Amino acid sequence: MVQLGGLSMSVPGVFLVLELLLFLQVVAPVQSSARQQWPVPYRRFDRRPDVDPYCEALFPFCPTGDRDGRVPVMRDGDLISVYRLQTPVWEFKYGDLLGKLHIMHDAVGFSSAESGANFTMEWYELFQLGNCTFPHLRTQQLAPFWCNQGAACFFDGIDDAHWSQNGTLEKIGEITGSQFNDMARWVQDDNETGIYYETWTVRSDPGPNATVWFESYDCSQFVHRTYRKLSELGARLHSRSQTNYTKIYLYSGEPVFLGNDSAIFGQPALRNLAEDIRKFYHAFRPHQSFTDLAFSLLEAYKKVVLDHNFYLYYNFEYWHLPMKAPYVRITYEEVPLP
């Protein structure tokens, strides 16, 4: 043990702190040139990258949708009904189990008065939620490997039973075919430039005046963006019930920027920091046995609750979150229609 200012720290802990200080000496001038913006803006890209062959989905993404993400063109004078859709996550496998915990999936439905055709539009993970929330640790590379993409899916039909049995299927407005076509062009641009899924919303505390450090980017956020766009196009949306959505929060003090893969995992001087990030994510690795999972849960509890430590990957960069109570919380809160 080593004494630092009256604090006892292990030798590896001292090295980690020194490395963080060394790294911040390099990064601080860049970060301080402009005041940090909170929440950190979600980064958009020029185009969607190709999928790495290593990443595999347990269930295929958008199996009945158009392979190129195309949306049918409506006649300008058509009248299109807009539906709010919500169902428990993995309802097809677990029924209402996750619904009882208010862990819900959201989508938007459309129905053409002219043709009678129905459509469903949603946005979700290409490789399931776990792969978008935590990385894989590969022996041949030091940096964690992320299978993290999310995308829009547009397909024919609305499965009435799927959405209404344990969730919500409610008409909330009408738009013209012209407004629908404008929305479709916006969806395709949004889908091409917003490429990755983000599970967590990170706040300073649960209170109403809390600082939001990072916003999530998930299925409900896509629905909110779509509603706002429809409102901008002139749609009037109204729900007879309270419009609640699932949010998964982390609570922390002010985050510390660490850098991207090359800055952290390509610098020998930051080897201990790189290894600490890998050790953190080791507790959340996929495909664990029941015994390993039990130990991993204890390890995760120690890191997050006892050590107040969390590494967040956002905009393809790492941040350190100094965690604080209540640490993690799932809420089901109202987000009014625009």
Side-chain angles (χ1 to χ4, degrees), residues 91-111:
E91 184 263 354
F92 68 94
K93 187 172 183 178
Y94 299 116
D96 192 33
L97 177 62
L98 294 180
K100 296 181 188 304
L101 301 174
H102 298 308
I103 302 176
M104 308 294 283
H105 173 65
D106 304 280
V108 186
F110 301 97
S111 178

Side-chain angles (χ1 to χ4, degrees), residues 4 43 48 53 58-59 69 198 213 224 265 276-277 290 293 312:
L4 286 180
R43 183 180 300 167
R48 181 173 292 277
L58 182 62
F59 301 101
E198 177 53 51
W213 308 119
H224 301 329
F265 299 93
D276 197 59
I277 292 174
F290 181 80
L293 180 61
L312 180 74

Side-chain angles (χ1 to χ4, degrees), residues 209-222:
N209 299 318
T211 300
V212 179
W213 308 119
F214 300 92
E215 290 276 15
S216 60
Y217 198 88
D218 54 17
C219 64
S220 66
Q221 293 298 320
F222 173 75

Side-chain angles (χ1 to χ4, degrees), residues 18 38 58 101 129 131 189 226 296 331:
L18 292 176
W38 305 114
L58 182 62
L101 301 174
L129 181 61
N131 284 318
D189 178 71
T226 301
S296 290
T331 68

Side-chain angles (χ1 to χ4, degrees), residues 23-84:
F23 184 72
L24 290 174
Q25 288 294 318
V26 178
V27 174
V30 179
Q31 296 293 305
S32 61
S33 61
R35 190 170 181 272
Q36 176 63 55
Q37 180 180 349
W38 305 114
V40 174
Y42 177 91
R43 183 180 300 167
R44 290 188 172 270
F45 296 80
D46 294 334
R47 65 177 184 85
R48 181 173 292 277
D50 295 331
V51 172
D52 192 295
Y54 179 85
C55 301
E56 286 187 34
L58 182 62
F59 301 101
F61 176 79
C62 201
T64 62
D66 184 90
R67 298 290 298 176
D68 297 318
R70 291 171 294 198
V71 178
V73 177
M74 302 294 184
R75 194 180 67 82
D76 286 353
D78 197 355
L79 186 64
I80 313 295
S81 297
V82 182
Y83 296 89
R84 176 175 174 249

